[in-house]
Amino acid sequence: MTIALGADDAAYDLKETIKKYLEERGIEVVDYGVYDTKPSLYPDIAVKVAEAIAGGKHERGILMCGTGLGMAITANKVPGIRAATCHDTYSAERARKSNDAQILTMGARVIGPELAKSVVDAWLKSEFQGGGSTAKVARIAEYEKKYLKKER
Ligand code: RB5
């Protein structure tokens, strides 16, 4: 499994911390930037990562910005993507088990690096549980289809 990572300038340091943490555990990561703390636009990074995941390049992604919110809002615009902002381990587990979220988002101004690592662990070790959640996640996709603009 490869994990796509992305962050804006506000979360550059957290991205580097998470990148190192995953690599030390033998998990392959692909870093979609940013690569420094120069001012950046988080939607550009969110879309790059979300498109790569929707296109099947990576199984999962982690996006980080100041709050995690802008990254999630943007990533969720890409059809097929379910991005969830999690700052606690229970939410991270449920984001996988109930919501089948392929993207985890976190805010570097909200969460410290050690808790962020635990959130990542909880999210990575959890898988979609299916069962009663299958119809619910399928319904999200139906609504998504309803609102997709037809290509002209
Ligand atoms: C800073 O640009 C801040 O707005 C951003 O990092 C993020 O928190 C947005 O949701």
Side-chain angles (χ1 to χ4, degrees):
M1 159 155 76
T2 62
I3 301 199
L5 294 182
D8 70 356
D9 49 297
Y12 169 76
D13 289 344
L14 180 61
K15 172 175 69 72
E16 293 301 302
T17 299
I18 296 299
K19 183 177 170 179
K20 185 167 174 269
Y21 182 70
L22 293 173
E23 284 174 343
E24 280 170 0
R25 275 149 191 78
I27 297 170
E28 197 184 330
V29 303
V30 178
D31 186 349
Y32 283 79
V34 295
Y35 306 110
D36 54 42
T37 55
K38 279 192 281 217
S40 57
L41 296 175
Y42 64 78
D44 295 341
I45 300 293
V47 162
K48 271 186 203 163
V49 168
E51 283 183 348
I53 289 166
K57 274 193 181 172
H58 317 286
E59 288 87 348
R60 303 217 207 158
I62 303 173
L63 286 167
M64 293 149 275
C65 59
T67 57
L69 301 175
M71 286 294 197
I73 290 168
T74 311
N76 280 318
K77 302 286 181 205
V78 175
I81 290 300
R82 292 173 299 279
T85 305
C86 302
H87 293 123
D88 67 274
T89 56
Y90 179 71
S91 299
E93 183 187 330
R94 296 319 311 177
R96 286 293 312 142
K97 290 185 174 175
S98 300
N99 311 113
D100 199 11
Q102 317 100 319
I103 296 183
L104 164 70
T105 80
M106 296 185 290
R109 294 173 182 161
V110 180
I111 194 169
E114 294 311 314
L115 179 54
K117 289 175 194 171
S118 299
V119 167
V120 166
D121 282 342
W123 182 73
L124 277 180
K125 74 173 186 206
S126 303
E127 288 300 340
F128 183 53
Q129 67 187 4
S133 295
T134 301
K136 296 166 189 169
V137 172
R139 186 59 59 91
I140 295 172
E142 286 169 26
Y143 280 119
E144 181 178 82
K145 219 168 156 189
K146 176 180 169 187
Y147 290 105
L148 276 178
K149 290 202 178 80
K150 291 203 175 77
E151 294 206 21
R152 293 170 205 198

